[in-house]
């Protein structure tokens, strides 16, 4: 049998399977469900979102919670109550409240797994989202399955869902994107110190070797390594400049309490000094395959340019002092796992940046 014939037959088999699945859904959909079209999947939720106090998310036997504290701020109890960014929590609740029924699908539990709506055990494909209000009052519990993407942008998108205590599957208008990893809900922002502000960076490796790069003036384009051997030359000024950009757009990947980690007092750290007096020290600890970083910031008035040059990103002494205090308030007692490329910037050596001069 020719390959082309096999491909055609395989396509027909897949189409038949898909048609059988759809037909099975329709046979199992109650006729009364037709009257539910365009009704909210979760009636009344929109009016109660302001009272949202806790969100529980579970998939594949892994569960975590997002909790609103007495001060109104959100945190992740499973990460020692580290702050959670509020906007994604709000967006999840609003997306759930806005779901409206397009049509009823299957009530047969045997078909739930085909659209990621099976809801129990370690093999669970559905994402269960449960919302609670004050006094642990349950506002809604929804199993979220696959997304059906529309042909004309997101307005035509739909999501397969079912209530946690029912077998009825609904195709609902709208999308509910649920981040399934707890760390992804954390407030990921750590620092954003523009490279244009940095005067010098110093990297001390675990073995005590030192890489120091600096520039004399804010309008100098490139950083220069100290103690450059006469027989070596810089491979790329761009790579040298990256050493000083580690604090620019810095975000975490994970977080834990710094207690229990061993940080080197005189080695395995980086230090960054700005022209406006900000000094940030980043100490590293190693736990198995992970590198964890803790930070400490301070304002060095003696190192700050006075007055601050106009037309630069440098800040006033008052603003830098506040910046250092806010940074310490956010990071004190915590250790962070950072993106790999940031760790690379923080751990480069002089050998990484230079090569032999050609004769």
């Amino acid at each position: 049998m020719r390959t082309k014939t096999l491909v055609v037959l395989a396509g027909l088999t897949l189409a038949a399977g898909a048609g059988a699945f759809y037909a099975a859904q329709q046979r199992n959909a109650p006729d009364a469900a037709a009257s539910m079209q365009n009704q909210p999947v979760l009636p009344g939720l929109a009016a109660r979102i302001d009272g949202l106090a806790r969100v529980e998310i579970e998939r594949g036997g892994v569960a975590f919670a997002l909790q609103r504290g007495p001060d109104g701020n959100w945190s992740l109890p499973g990460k020692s109550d580290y702050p959670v960014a509020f906007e994604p929590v709000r967006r999840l609740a609003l997306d759930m409240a806005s779901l409206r029924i397009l049509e009823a699908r299957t009530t047969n539990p045997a078909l739930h797994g085909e659209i990621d709506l099976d809801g129990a055990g370690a093999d669970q494909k559905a994402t269960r989202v449960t919302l609670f209000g004050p006094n642990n009052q349950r506002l809604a519990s929804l199993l979220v399955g696959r997304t059906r993407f529309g042909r004309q942008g997101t307005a035509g998108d739909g999501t397969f869902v079912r209530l946690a205590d029912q077998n009825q599957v609904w195709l609902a208008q709208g999308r509910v994107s649920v981040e399934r990893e707890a760390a992804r809900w954390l407030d990921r922002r750590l620092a954003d110190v523009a490279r244009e502000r940095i005067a010098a960076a110093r990297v001390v490796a675990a073995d005590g070797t030192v890489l120091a790069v600096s520039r004399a003036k804010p309008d100098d384009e490139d950083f220069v390594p100290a103690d450059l051997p006469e027989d070596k030359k810089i491979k790329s000024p761009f790579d040298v400049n990256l050493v000083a950009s580690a604090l620019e757009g810095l975000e975490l990947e994970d977080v834990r309490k710094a207690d229990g980690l061993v940080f080197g007092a005189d080695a395995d750290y980086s230090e960054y000094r700005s022209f406006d007096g900000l000094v940030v020290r980043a100490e590293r600890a190693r736990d198995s395959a992970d590198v964890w970083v803790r930070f400490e910031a301070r304002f060095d008035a003696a190192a700050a340019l006075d007055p601050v040059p106009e037309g630069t990103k440098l800040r006033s002494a008052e603003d830098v002092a506040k910046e250092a205090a806010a940074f310490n308030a956010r990071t004190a007692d915590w250790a962070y796992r950072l993106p790999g490329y940031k760790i690379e910037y923080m751990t480069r050596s002089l050998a990484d940046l230079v090569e032999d001069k050609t004769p």
Side-chain angles (χ1 to χ4, degrees):
M1 186 178 291
R2 294 182 179 179
T3 302
K4 182 177 180 181
T5 304
L6 289 172
V7 171
V8 171
L9 288 175
L12 291 173
T13 301
L14 288 172
F21 174 66
Y22 181 82
Q25 292 187 60
Q26 296 306 106
R27 286 197 303 271
N28 286 281
D31 293 337
S35 63
M36 299 291 291
Q37 189 172 16
N38 205 38
Q39 297 299 308
V41 174
L42 299 167
L45 176 59
R48 294 180 287 176
I49 284 179
D50 287 345
L52 186 64
R54 183 177 175 88
V55 178
E56 294 182 356
I57 298 172
E58 178 188 359
R59 186 177 190 271
V62 178
F64 59 91
L66 313 169
Q67 184 76 41
R68 187 173 69 176
D71 58 359
N73 294 321
W74 285 80
S75 65
L76 192 61
K79 294 289 182 181
S80 302
D81 289 320
Y82 193 84
V84 161
F86 171 65
E87 181 55 31
V89 179
R90 174 178 173 275
R91 176 49 51 194
L92 173 62
L94 289 174
D95 286 347
M96 290 174 61
S98 67
L99 288 174
R100 304 188 79 84
I101 294 172
L102 285 175
E103 56 184 281
R105 291 299 179 93
T106 184
T107 58
N108 184 354
L111 298 177
H112 288 169
E114 299 293 331
I115 45 178
D116 292 352
L117 277 176
D118 51 335
D123 295 327
Q124 170 186 326
K125 296 179 182 178
T127 302
R128 183 190 300 265
V129 183
T130 307
L131 309 181
F132 295 88
N135 302 316
N136 210 35
Q137 175 191 10
R138 193 172 83 162
L139 304 180
S141 188
L142 188 69
L143 292 171
V144 180
R146 291 187 182 181
T147 298
R148 189 196 70 174
F149 296 99
R151 296 181 180 179
Q152 298 179 346
T154 57
D157 290 349
T159 305
F160 292 101
V161 299
R162 68 182 177 91
L163 301 182
D165 57 354
Q166 297 180 14
N167 287 329
Q168 176 65 63
V169 171
W170 304 101
L171 174 59
Q173 184 177 20
R175 291 181 63 179
V176 178
S177 298
V178 188
E179 183 54 64
R180 300 163 183 167
E181 294 183 25
R184 302 292 295 181
W185 289 91
L186 298 171
D187 187 347
R188 298 166 63 83
R189 300 167 301 164
L190 286 177
D192 192 12
V193 183
R195 183 178 64 83
E196 290 84 349
R197 294 174 60 192
I198 300 298
R202 178 181 172 87
V203 177
V204 182
D207 62 5
T209 57
V210 177
L211 166 64
V213 301
S214 64
R215 54 183 180 159
K217 306 184 300 296
D219 56 358
D220 286 345
E221 181 67 24
D222 296 321
F223 288 78
V224 178
D227 303 321
L228 184 64
E230 291 186 2
D231 61 341
K232 300 291 183 181
K233 65 177 181 178
I234 296 171
K235 293 179 185 178
S236 165
F238 178 78
D239 287 339
V240 178
N241 293 339
L242 288 178
V243 175
S245 69
L247 301 180
E248 191 170 49
L250 183 62
E251 294 186 343
L252 64 87
E253 285 194 343
D254 203 355
V255 65
R256 57 168 290 178
K257 285 290 188 180
D259 294 346
L261 292 171
V262 179
F263 294 89
D266 301 314
D268 216 0
Y269 73 90
S270 305
E271 187 173 83
Y272 307 88
R273 292 178 172 269
S274 72
F275 285 108
D276 48 18
L278 180 66
V279 181
V280 177
R281 183 182 174 97
E283 297 182 346
R284 295 181 289 274
R286 300 170 191 274
D287 178 20
S288 185
D290 292 327
V291 177
W292 296 90
V293 183
R294 69 177 179 186
F295 294 94
E296 182 179 6
R298 62 185 175 88
F299 172 54
D300 183 358
L305 292 177
D306 187 22
V308 174
E310 295 184 3
T312 70
K313 294 185 178 182
L314 302 185
R315 301 182 178 185
S316 68
E318 181 181 2
D319 286 344
V320 176
K322 290 180 180 178
E323 179 184 23
F327 188 66
N328 287 335
R330 184 166 59 253
T331 63
D333 303 324
W334 297 101
Y336 300 93
R337 194 178 74 217
L338 305 177
Y341 73 99
K342 289 294 187 179
I343 291 295
E344 181 184 349
Y345 299 167
M346 291 182 171
T347 57
R348 280 184 170 167
S349 65
L350 183 60
D352 296 326
L353 303 175
V354 300
E355 62 185 359
D356 294 336
K357 289 182 178 179
T358 55

